[in-house]
Amino acid sequence: MELLQSKSLPPIPKLKLAVVGHVEWVSFLSVDKCPREGTISHGKIYLEEPAGGGAVSAVKLAKLIGEPVDFFTALGNDLTGKKCFKKLSQLGLNLNVAWKDEPTRKAISMINRKGERAITVIGDRLQPSKKDKLPWQKMNKYDGVFLTAVGSDALSDCREANVLVATPRLGLGALEEKNIKLDAIIGSSLDPDENMEGLSIKPAPRILITTKGSLGGESWPGGPFKAFKLNSPLVDTYGCGDNFAAGVTAGLAAGWSIQQAISLGSQCGAECATHLGPYDH
């Protein structure tokens, strides 16, 4: 599949989009190389901000459409959760938060000179569910919704969106149990938790996309596609997959072809790799 340049893509129409997913407060640390046992290493650049698949994809969608995006999530009722809420609001999101007694999840992402990252998460992933008093009835108003983490009891509500896209991290068993047919599922063959080799989920998603980092990826239908070439040096691969998923979600919600949606997603993923952390401030 030949990727289309942004100048070849149609303008993104006015869309109403949402993300349902998780947040982690992430410490990004640029290092010469990731540490080995018994060694002392030195960091160069340090950055802290809310990230995680839900937050990253939602912020990218807001930038793509130039409008606030609704973000359904769960945060711990602690200082970290409040910091996440404040920063994500500043990044263009309308937050619908289920405040939990559990602590907000944290993570550390170490990025080496090649731009590859090693992530350690601290704490459990928090996610919203039907039991939380969130405006689930709004789902039928959205042109597109991307799912990264949600209770299975809210999946039927989410399916009311015109286009529903998800990551395999959502939990494929829950989708089968609730008989939810996705418009697209997007995973990385480089991530064991997202590898979809031999996937036989029923009902089958309309589109299945697997990415392979700098090697591109493949979609069914559609076939193989190449990665979008970087216009700047590679800095950090954190969030590239979530940015890719955001671009694909926006394209499909706009009614574009699979090729056009993947082209937009590939450009979003490539742009993310050119700066530290998932956001281009």
Side-chain angles (χ1 to χ4, degrees):
M1 181 188 295
E2 183 179 354
L3 293 180
L4 302 173
Q5 302 289 330
S6 56
K7 61 184 179 182
S8 303
L9 294 172
I12 299 175
K14 186 175 182 179
L15 296 170
K16 189 169 179 60
L17 303 173
V19 172
V20 183
H22 64 294
V23 179
E24 298 159 358
W25 183 265
V26 183
S27 299
F28 297 92
L29 180 61
S30 175
V31 297
D32 287 331
K33 58 182 178 180
C34 292
R36 294 181 299 171
E37 258 183 61
T39 64
I40 297 175
S41 59
H42 297 273
K44 294 183 176 180
I45 305 174
Y46 182 72
L47 172 69
E48 285 186 314
E49 54 191 355
V56 172
S57 56
V59 170
K60 188 60 181 182
L61 284 172
K63 289 188 175 182
L64 284 173
I65 66 174
E67 297 284 345
V69 163
D70 289 347
F71 184 31
F72 292 67
T73 191
L75 293 169
N77 192 15
D78 52 21
L79 181 60
T80 302
K82 292 172 184 176
K83 287 196 298 183
C84 289
F85 184 93
K86 180 179 179 180
K87 186 58 182 283
L88 292 173
S89 298
Q90 294 170 346
L91 289 171
L93 304 185
N94 289 327
L95 280 91
N96 299 281
V97 179
W99 295 100
K100 305 290 186 178
D101 292 332
E102 297 87 350
T104 303
R105 194 183 203 185
K106 297 180 180 179
I108 299 171
S109 179
M110 290 190 175
I111 304 97
N112 66 18
R113 285 180 292 181
K114 296 180 180 179
E116 291 300 328
R117 83 286 190 274
I119 303 171
T120 299
V121 295
I122 306 160
D124 296 328
R125 184 180 76 173
L126 301 182
Q127 64 184 25
S129 72
K130 182 77 170 180
K131 297 176 183 178
D132 298 311
K133 294 182 180 180
L134 301 179
W136 299 108
Q137 71 279 3
K138 292 173 57 177
M139 286 293 159
N140 62 0
K141 306 295 184 182
Y142 295 116
D143 299 298
V145 171
F146 180 56
L147 305 178
T148 74
V150 65
S152 61
D153 55 356
L155 284 173
S156 296
D157 293 271
C158 295
R159 181 56 275 183
E160 293 297 312
N162 186 47
V163 169
L164 185 63
V165 182
T167 167
R169 289 179 178 270
L170 181 69
L172 302 181
L175 293 170
E176 287 192 309
E177 178 186 342
K178 297 295 182 179
N179 196 37
I180 302 297
K181 183 178 179 67
L182 297 170
D183 292 284
I185 187 166
I186 304 171
S188 169
S189 63
L190 304 180
D191 187 332
D193 291 329
E194 294 187 10
N195 194 310
M196 298 185 290
E197 185 176 350
L199 181 70
S200 60
I201 181 175
K202 295 180 181 179
R206 183 167 64 89
I207 304 165
L208 189 153
I209 303 173
T210 181
T211 60
K212 301 177 182 179
S214 61
L215 299 178
E218 191 166 2
S219 74
W220 296 268
F225 58 88
K226 296 180 180 179
F228 194 79
K229 292 183 179 180
L230 300 182
N231 55 16
S232 299
L234 173 64
V235 175
D236 181 10
T237 57
Y238 183 99
C240 291
D242 302 314
N243 274 260
F244 174 87
V248 172
T249 300
L252 295 178
W256 292 2
S257 68
I258 298 174
Q259 180 192 23
Q260 290 172 320
I262 288 177
S263 289
L264 178 59
S266 297
Q267 291 176 52
C268 292
E271 290 167 1
C272 179
T274 62
H275 49 76
L276 182 67
Y279 314 123
D280 185 12
H281 296 293

